[in-house]
Amino acid sequence: DMGAIVDRLTKQQTKLQKEIEKLNKMLQNKNFVANAPKNVIEQNQEALKVAQNKLSKVEEELKRMEN
C-alpha cells in the first residue's frame, strides 16, 4: 500500500530532521565543543553526516513516490 509507505517515510523524515537539528545545536554550542572530549564531538559529527545522508535518501524516495 503506497499510503503506508509514504506515511512511514514521512515519519522517518520528521525523526531525521529532529535528530539533525539536535546534533547541529550541540555542535554549534561553543561550551559543548570546548568541554566535550574530542571523540564525542567526532561521534556527533559522524552521526550528523549519517542522518543527513539518510534524510536525503528518504526525501528522494518521497519525491519518487509523488511522481
Side-chain angles (χ1 to χ4, degrees):
D1 177 1
M2 291 294 262
I5 295 170
V6 170
D7 189 45
R8 182 182 58 80
L9 287 171
T10 302
K11 286 179 184 175
Q12 194 174 2
Q13 179 185 34
T14 301
K15 180 183 170 199
L16 286 165
Q17 287 169 334
K18 287 179 183 176
E19 183 178 346
I20 289 168
E21 185 178 334
K22 181 188 84 166
L23 289 166
N24 270 325
K25 282 183 182 178
M26 272 198 294
L27 292 169
Q28 291 171 1
N29 181 332
K30 295 194 188 322
N31 288 330
F32 173 76
V33 174
N35 296 316
K38 187 178 181 197
N39 68 319
V40 171
I41 294 169
E42 289 172 353
Q43 286 172 352
N44 284 335
Q45 289 170 331
E46 185 59 31
L48 179 60
K49 284 182 201 169
V50 169
Q52 288 170 330
N53 286 337
K54 285 182 184 177
L55 179 60
S56 178
K57 289 177 184 171
V58 167
E59 288 174 342
E60 285 176 25
E61 192 65 31
L62 280 169
K63 280 184 185 174
R64 259 193 298 238
M65 300 288 233
E66 290 173 358
N67 294 335

